[in-house]
Amino acid sequence: MDDIFGESLNLEEIHIKQGFDDGHKDGLVAGKEEAKQVGLKVGFEVGEELGFYKGCVDVWNSAIRVDPTRFSTRVQKGVRHMEELVERYPVMEPEDEKVQEIMEELRLKFKAVCASLGVKLEYNGYPRGSSSGAKDLVMCSKEEGKMLKSMLGCCKVYISESRNKLALESIERAAKRFSKAPIVNKFEDETYNRVGYTLVSKLAPEPSGDPYPLRMAVLAMVKAAFETIDLELHCGSHPRLGVVDHICFHPLLDASLEQMAGVANSLAEVVGSSLQVPTFLYGAAHEERRTLDSIRRELGYFKPNSSGEQWVGGPISEYLALKPDKGPPQVTQEKGVIVIGATRWVDNYNVPVHSTDIAAVRRISKRVSGRGGGLPSVQAMALAHGESVTEVACNLLEPQEVGGDRVQLEVERLAKEEGLTVGKGYFTDLYQEKLIERYLQSVSAEEK
């Protein structure tokens, strides 16, 4: 009896083993075939995406060779960086740990260059078929696709303070409460006693809460600034009209100027009525498209009120030469006024002239500006910057037409006529594609 049971058990084990071996053998065959198909598909997707970027780089490089001045220095640098990334991609080593890192950097750089050029070139990767037999190119991943198609808004906030570190910390803490509208750049200048913050945020309304976190973040910064800074105690060699001197909104990617004007007006309403600060609107935020410099001229912005080319203390009078668009008609010494606008992208570019001859540098500034018959869409003024330098501070209203390189050459030419030497100029903010890149990185880090 025991032998019968023993043989039965052995027979069962033999069948189990045979079944396992057959299943394992069939699984290897099926697995290899499936892996092969997956590998081919993934490899094709990667190759197609890489080829897409290479094609874009080749087209852009061809345009640059035909006309080296067609794209700005920044765009050309971005294209070169993309070319380097494509060349570095380890096509024959798919298990290389740098594969994902290089591809992510390439995707970000592509989006940044497209944003700078103002083109809506998109990529969707491997086609999965459609009724029409063709698909539009959209972004390579669903999340990045959503991000690129998002309407992004940018806000630059200029505050009349850079020496009071406790005040700046308070302002930055206030902004950090709104993680969806991060500060992506900060530019401090202690000589001018001025700081500029740049924030970027998605504009598409959220399912709940405030539809524009950008507005909420900026408002929090404005409140913190008024609570910690007294304009009566402020002095510096940069003109200003108030504690929060200037706020400007710019559309990025698919956002419209009208959207940014709406955010600007909404912010101005709160600042004027709730904070009781005289508020002036300009650009698309103003019904008559009034310009920033026209407001500043009316309010005496360009005239120093102290010796040594300095601006000291608050407004001389509580009565304003111009009626504000929002808020009270009287101004307080502690807060001053605030100017809020919405425009297309503007670059700020300063060129140091090695001289304290303010009159000579003013002549250069006038001749380099569009107002003085110089470069179109350029606004310029001379500002003392330290003991031995006077800067030609420029607003480039159409930087794609007249960029920093051209301004630099023109200032050098005019300075030479005055017998003066010039240093290398600098931008006071990052270029658009870099801001978008930092924003994407900040959002990605927040989600992890």
Side-chain angles (χ1 to χ4, degrees), residues 52 71 77 103 145 246 259 264 317 340 348 386:
F52 173 77
F71 299 147
K77 184 178 179 181
M103 185 60 83
H246 176 208
Q259 279 180 296
S317 171
I340 301 175
N348 304 112

Side-chain angles (χ1 to χ4, degrees), residues 132-204:
S132 63
K135 292 197 76 173
D136 292 332
L137 293 173
V138 288
M139 282 311 290
C140 46
S141 76
K142 184 179 292 185
E143 288 305 313
E144 288 180 340
K146 289 180 181 178
M147 188 62 68
L148 184 63
K149 291 178 180 178
S150 294
M151 295 168 289
L152 298 185
C154 170
C155 183
K156 297 182 181 183
V157 183
Y158 297 96
I159 295 173
S160 304
E161 185 58 72
S162 68
R163 302 166 189 167
N164 184 343
K165 302 305 178 185
L166 290 178
L168 299 190
E169 288 172 6
S170 175
I171 293 166
E172 290 161 26
R173 275 198 307 272
K176 286 180 180 177
R177 289 163 36 210
F178 303 90
S179 60
K180 292 182 180 179
I183 293 174
V184 293
N185 192 51
K186 173 185 177 182
F187 183 84
E188 293 180 86
D189 193 311
E190 290 200 9
T191 301
Y192 287 149
N193 200 8
R194 184 178 178 88
V195 62
Y197 292 103
T198 305
L199 299 85
V200 174
S201 172
K202 186 177 178 181
L203 292 182

Side-chain angles (χ1 to χ4, degrees), residues 135-395:
K135 292 197 76 173
D136 292 332
L137 293 173
V138 288
M139 282 311 290
C140 46
S141 76
K142 184 179 292 185
E143 288 305 313
E144 288 180 340
K146 289 180 181 178
M147 188 62 68
L148 184 63
K149 291 178 180 178
S150 294
M151 295 168 289
L152 298 185
C154 170
C155 183
K156 297 182 181 183
V157 183
Y158 297 96
I159 295 173
S160 304
E161 185 58 72
S162 68
R163 302 166 189 167
N164 184 343
K165 302 305 178 185
L166 290 178
L168 299 190
E169 288 172 6
S170 175
I171 293 166
E172 290 161 26
R173 275 198 307 272
K176 286 180 180 177
R177 289 163 36 210
F178 303 90
S179 60
K180 292 182 180 179
I183 293 174
V184 293
N185 192 51
K186 173 185 177 182
F187 183 84
E188 293 180 86
D189 193 311
E190 290 200 9
T191 301
Y192 287 149
N193 200 8
R194 184 178 178 88
V195 62
Y197 292 103
T198 305
L199 299 85
V200 174
S201 172
K202 186 177 178 181
L203 292 182
E206 299 294 332
S208 61
D210 190 275
Y212 296 120
L214 186 61
R215 183 192 70 175
M216 299 302 292
V218 174
L219 179 59
M221 295 175 74
V222 170
K223 289 179 179 179
F226 286 145
E227 290 169 359
T228 56
I229 300 170
D230 186 341
L231 192 61
E232 284 193 286
L233 305 178
H234 181 272
C235 67
S237 60
H238 194 290
R240 74 285 189 282
L241 294 171
V243 168
V244 183
D245 181 58
H246 176 208
I247 295 175
C248 189
F249 291 91
H250 305 290
L252 297 176
L253 296 179
D254 291 335
S256 69
L257 187 56
E258 289 69 28
Q259 279 180 296
M260 303 317 300
V263 181
N265 270 284
S266 177
L267 176 66
E269 186 68 45
V270 178
V271 171
S273 60
S274 298
L275 304 184
Q276 286 295 290
V277 176
T279 305
F280 295 88
L281 294 168
Y282 77 93
H286 189 265
E287 58 183 7
E288 296 179 2
R289 295 296 198 267
R290 181 171 54 189
T291 63
L292 174 62
D293 67 319
S294 68
I295 298 173
R296 287 173 163 177
R297 290 182 193 284
E298 287 276 357
L299 298 178
Y301 175 88
F302 298 103
K303 298 177 182 178
N305 63 0
S306 183
S307 60
E309 296 297 316
Q310 296 285 308
W311 281 260
V312 178
I316 297 174
S317 171
E318 67 174 314
Y319 298 101
L320 295 165
L322 194 64
K323 181 182 177 181
D325 297 290
K326 308 288 181 181
Q330 289 83 31
V331 60
T332 65
Q333 296 285 317
E334 299 83 7
K335 295 179 180 178
V337 306
I338 185 170
V339 183
I340 301 175
T343 69
R344 296 293 178 189
W345 185 260
V346 174
D347 270 337
N348 304 112
Y349 187 76
N350 297 347
V351 184
V353 180
H354 302 299
S355 173
T356 56
D357 187 346
I358 189 71
V361 182
R362 279 181 179 149
R363 288 194 294 271
I364 295 171
S365 298
K366 183 176 181 179
R367 292 178 64 190
V368 82
S369 69
R371 184 182 175 88
L375 299 175
S377 72
V378 172
Q379 298 173 337
M381 67 181 298
L383 297 175
H385 195 260
E387 296 180 357
S388 59
V389 171
T390 305
E391 289 192 335
V392 178
C394 303
N395 289 337

Side-chain angles (χ1 to χ4, degrees), residues 71-143:
F71 299 147
S72 68
T73 302
R74 292 171 177 176
V75 169
Q76 294 189 37
K77 184 178 179 181
V79 173
R80 285 196 300 272
H81 190 185
M82 278 188 67
E83 187 172 24
E84 291 170 2
L85 290 170
V86 170
E87 290 174 354
R88 279 171 45 202
Y89 192 90
V91 177
M92 304 306 293
E93 300 176 40
E95 294 183 3
D96 191 311
E97 60 183 14
K98 293 182 180 179
V99 163
Q100 191 62 29
E101 177 185 332
I102 293 175
M103 185 60 83
E104 289 298 326
E105 188 175 356
L106 186 55
R107 289 166 179 163
L108 285 173
K109 186 56 63 177
F110 169 72
K111 286 185 282 186
V113 171
C114 287
S116 182
L117 291 173
V119 298
K120 298 178 182 179
L121 190 58
E122 306 172 8
Y123 176 68
N124 189 34
Y126 185 71
R128 288 165 175 78
S130 67
S131 57
S132 63
K135 292 197 76 173
D136 292 332
L137 293 173
V138 288
M139 282 311 290
C140 46
S141 76
K142 184 179 292 185
E143 288 305 313

